[in-house]
Amino acid sequence: MLPARRIVPLSTLGPGRRRGRIARIEGGPWVQRLLDLGMVPETWVEFVRRAPLGDPLAYRIRGTCVALRRREASAVFVEVPEE
Amino acid sequence: MIPRKSKPLAAGCHRAFPAIPGAGGSAGPTIALAGNPNAGKSTLFNRLVGGRQHVGNWPGKTVERAEGRLVVENNSFRVVDLPGTYSLFADTPEEVVARDFLLGGEAAVTVVTVDSTNLERHLYLARQTLLLTGRVVVALNKMDLADSMGIRIDCEDLAVRLGVPVVPVSAVTGSGIPRLLKVLGEAAEAWGEGVRNGRRGESSGLPSGRADRERMALELHRWSRDTAAAVSAGGARGMRGCSRDAGRDPEWEPSGGESSRTAGDFSARLDRVVTGRWFAFPLMAVLFGAVLWLTMFGAAPLSALLDRGFSAAAALAEAGLRSAGAPGWILGPLVDGMLVGVGKVISVMLPTMAIFFVLIALLEESGLVPRLAFNADRLFQAAGTQGKHCLSCLAGLGCNVPGVMSARIMKEPHRTIAVLTNSLVPCNGRLGVILPLSLVFFGSGGVGVVAGILLISAAAMLLGTLFLSRVVFRGVQPGFIMELPPYRWPNFRTVVLRTLRERVIQVLGRAVTVAAPVTILIWFMANYPAGAGFEGTAAGRLTAFLGPLGTPLGIPGHALTAVLFSLAAKEIVVGALAITGGLAASLRGSGADPASLLAGWSALEAFNFLLFFTLFMPCLLTAMTMFRETRSWRLTALGLALPFGLAYLFTLASYRIGLVLGL
Ligand SMILES: Nc1nc2c(ncn2[C@@H]2O[C@H](COP(=O)(O)OP(=O)(O)O)[C@@H](O)[C@H]2O)c(=O)[nH]1
Ligand SMILES: [Mg+2]
């Protein structure tokens, strides 16, 4: 039995809830860059850390650690289990 | 022949790229090297071509192009190093260059360098490359590392799945390279015929619409994941910093908490400090300080040694020319002008550049540098650019020429903003002047004075950035997306060799070609028209003219003339000050006593002079580099006017405040 899930922006992952599975990416000039880095639907992402001033955010995806700003991370939507 | 900035992806481009002269234009079939950043492409390129290489730019682009020659058993190949990219779909200058080259069908063989320790990610580019050209050989690199991590890869299976040869190699140890050469030779022979017969670009091309591209990206990523999973086994995941795979065996666990932590992971633990809230900025300050300190104090004895060597050479040359009966107007400019001036530039620049850029390259190799950008991004975002701007500032601390060039790591308009503001970062040439002068004048307070000037420079740089991003380059701001590679121990030998070759020698050569003519000009200005003493010479008249301009800034006219002369190379300002102050007739007489240079100045005058000199304007070489990077006189003029305006404002303010405080 799969637990219930919901879809939240990637930027809401954090030390509490670290992992999510990408559902979709919303438009913007950065979409292709994100896709090329492996941010494609069905891929798992994991929150790694925040920069000392709160932005950018680092995520682990497909074997590498990628930093992006909150703005871009807000355009990526991930599926997470319902609490 | 300047390629358009970007072109439709599907356009079958059949333009031949001109060979770089001197790299053996007609050196047989072409082998192109493609690969993700960090795949080890440069290491492989160097292993293949050794010293027979030439570094330049792609025509009409500020993307570096390296080309070399490879000889295998009487067969000669031209090897072209394509820019490292994650993809070939996007429209960054690097990707357009790589894509156009592959679509042009010029390469008989394209070697895709693949990092065997991160197969899934790297196979994505290999697969994309196969869409552009079928003539591909995959070099499965870093096998030594994969072995030590316990990763096993079934190369034959991978070759079948890709439909092209796969050769396991280690670019660092050299294992597998003979085999790669053999496969390359065979492939070039089999495929090269087709190229010569005009059977070019048999690729299927790439989709052009955004939706199609996205669909294809998804498909290719799926393929890469499945393929990587099928052909590789083993490997202690979580061994390398951020390299743990979050994609395999997804578990829908409530919080993803403990199991996803990488406890005991070296990079992750180091990152907790390096990018941590409390340590990040103090650590960065210590790092910058340490690099500067090591550079200045490490270079000082070497500089002194070189300086003595050049003085001896000048004396020897003078004696020789004199005994040959050379007149003063030849002797002066040659010996007192050029030899001494250029000697000064070399003896100051060579050791500092060498030490500084080796240190920076070591930081780069270790993986620390991307963390600096990560930490600083928020700060630079407030000024209107992004974290990587911090890295070009760091390079600028060594020399503004590489500083300006390193802005290439950013997208427009951030790149141009970084180009135009880089000269506000005081380079080693200036630091090497203001530190000893302020130590002489202010005594033990000198270090504080220099620190103050550094802080003001940083403020001026951020202010200039803010001005450019808010007023000149408004519009869409590109974001910040950057990979944070795992930390690793740098390979000292390759770092030193590469830095010396790519940075130091190049910049030094150009510095000398600019400094030599200008120091000759300065000699003439300081000595002609002769007869009426210094006041009568061109330099003397310039000083009289500049005097009133310096008054509101609290800077004596002769010091302004010296600052103007230092546009040739900032290092010569001390010598120039000796000339314009009437203490010496040539740059040579200057090395003697810095204390006498500022004798009789007030503290405020000395400080304002140092401040104005630091901010004033980029040296000629930096200005030329700015032009090369922007290809625009307007922007170059802006790059000169902006620091000048800021220097004027800050010095004016400092003088006013100083007067109010009664200094
Ligand atoms: N262990 C190991 N490291 C390698 C190998 N090839 C390259 N590297 C390292 O990988 C890093 C990136 O190499 P580089 O050639 O600069 O990659 P590029 O970005 O593709 O040009 C450097 O630290 C190299 O020392 C290899 O075969 N084995
Ligand atoms: Mg490289």
Side-chain angles (χ1 to χ4, degrees), chain B residues 265-322:
Chain B
D265 178 337
F266 174 71
S267 279
R269 263 182 301 160
L270 198 53
D271 264 343
R272 218 161 292 158
V273 178
V274 174
T275 68
R277 194 176 310 165
W278 303 113
F279 292 108
F281 290 101
L283 208 69
M284 273 170 82
V286 168
L287 203 68
F288 274 52
V291 166
L292 284 181
W293 188 85
L294 276 173
T295 305
M296 303 277 248
F297 291 91
L302 294 172
S303 289
L305 204 69
L306 282 172
D307 202 28
R308 233 173 297 149
F310 276 105
S311 298
L316 221 62
E318 185 175 7
L321 283 169
R322 196 152 274 166

Side-chain angles (χ1 to χ4, degrees), chain B residues 35-44 81 84 113 141-145 169-173 365 488-491 494 498:
Chain B
N36 279 36
N38 267 322
K41 210 161 52 64
S42 299
T43 314
L44 185 63
D81 192 18
T113 312
N141 192 30
K142 305 199 188 180
M143 279 312 285
D144 56 316
L145 201 58
V169 300
S170 167
V172 162
T173 66
E365 277 276 307
R488 59 170 170 242
W489 202 243
N491 182 332
T494 48
R498 195 170 65 202

Side-chain angles (χ1 to χ4, degrees), chain B residues 111-447:
Chain B
V111 178
V112 181
T113 312
V114 163
D115 181 345
S116 55
T117 65
N118 196 351
L119 205 51
E120 177 182 342
R121 175 173 294 284
H122 287 242
L123 282 179
Y124 178 70
L125 184 79
R127 189 73 184 146
Q128 277 194 349
T129 311
L130 277 165
L131 293 176
L132 300 183
T133 169
R135 304 187 295 260
V136 168
V137 170
V138 169
L140 204 52
N141 192 30
K142 305 199 188 180
M143 279 312 285
D144 56 316
L145 201 58
D147 283 342
S148 73
M149 289 167 72
I151 298 173
R152 291 182 309 281
I153 296 171
D154 185 341
C155 293
E156 265 132 62
D157 190 10
L158 184 58
V160 170
R161 284 165 191 268
L162 283 164
V164 295
V166 174
V167 186
V169 300
S170 167
V172 162
T173 66
S175 78
I177 298 294
R179 171 96 202 285
L180 179 65
L181 290 177
K182 193 163 155 284
V183 172
L184 282 179
E186 289 165 5
E189 202 166 311
W191 293 331
E193 211 47 54
V195 176
R196 245 168 276 134
N197 294 339
R199 190 171 56 91
R200 295 183 138 200
E202 76 277 39
S203 67
S204 57
L206 292 171
S208 53
R210 176 182 233 164
D212 286 339
R213 280 197 227 174
E214 290 182 17
R215 194 162 339 107
M216 177 154 284
L218 180 56
E219 251 169 57
L220 292 182
H221 276 301
R222 272 203 197 117
W223 180 89
S224 314
R225 184 179 58 206
D226 297 345
T227 307
V231 303
S232 58
R237 306 213 162 267
M239 246 189 76
R240 304 201 321 163
C242 282
S243 71
R244 234 186 47 110
D245 197 317
R248 222 161 300 266
D249 285 332
E251 291 279 322
W252 282 105
E253 54 206 292
S255 70
E258 220 40 53
S259 70
S260 60
R261 285 265 173 73
T262 46
D265 178 337
F266 174 71
S267 279
R269 263 182 301 160
L270 198 53
D271 264 343
R272 218 161 292 158
V273 178
V274 174
T275 68
R277 194 176 310 165
W278 303 113
F279 292 108
F281 290 101
L283 208 69
M284 273 170 82
V286 168
L287 203 68
F288 274 52
V291 166
L292 284 181
W293 188 85
L294 276 173
T295 305
M296 303 277 248
F297 291 91
L302 294 172
S303 289
L305 204 69
L306 282 172
D307 202 28
R308 233 173 297 149
F310 276 105
S311 298
L316 221 62
E318 185 175 7
L321 283 169
R322 196 152 274 166
S323 67
W329 58 269
I330 288 188
L331 203 73
L334 266 189
V335 177
D336 285 340
M338 198 178 86
L339 204 58
V340 174
V342 169
K344 192 97 210 143
V345 172
I346 292 184
S347 53
V348 174
M349 256 181 120
L350 184 61
T352 46
M353 297 266 293
I355 296 178
F356 182 83
F357 283 111
V358 165
L359 288 176
I360 295 297
L362 287 173
L363 291 182
E364 243 162 32
E365 277 276 307
S366 70
L368 255 170
V369 161
R371 269 76 182 180
L372 300 183
F374 180 64
N375 288 345
D377 181 65
R378 187 66 193 77
L379 201 66
F380 281 84
Q381 189 186 344
T385 53
Q386 54 135 304
K388 291 178 194 170
H389 191 176
C390 163
L391 309 184
S392 79
C393 292
L394 183 61
L397 276 176
C399 170
N400 293 121
V401 172
V404 164
M405 283 169 40
S406 68
R408 290 175 181 191
I409 52 178
M410 279 166 273
K411 292 192 170 189
E412 296 297 355
H414 295 165
R415 190 183 74 92
T416 305
I417 295 176
V419 164
L420 301 186
T421 52
N422 195 268
S423 76
L424 287 163
V425 178
C427 62
N428 259 314
R430 279 171 280 171
L431 289 172
V433 168
I434 62 174
L435 186 63
L437 280 185
S438 48
L439 284 179
V440 163
F441 192 88
F442 296 98
S444 56
V447 175

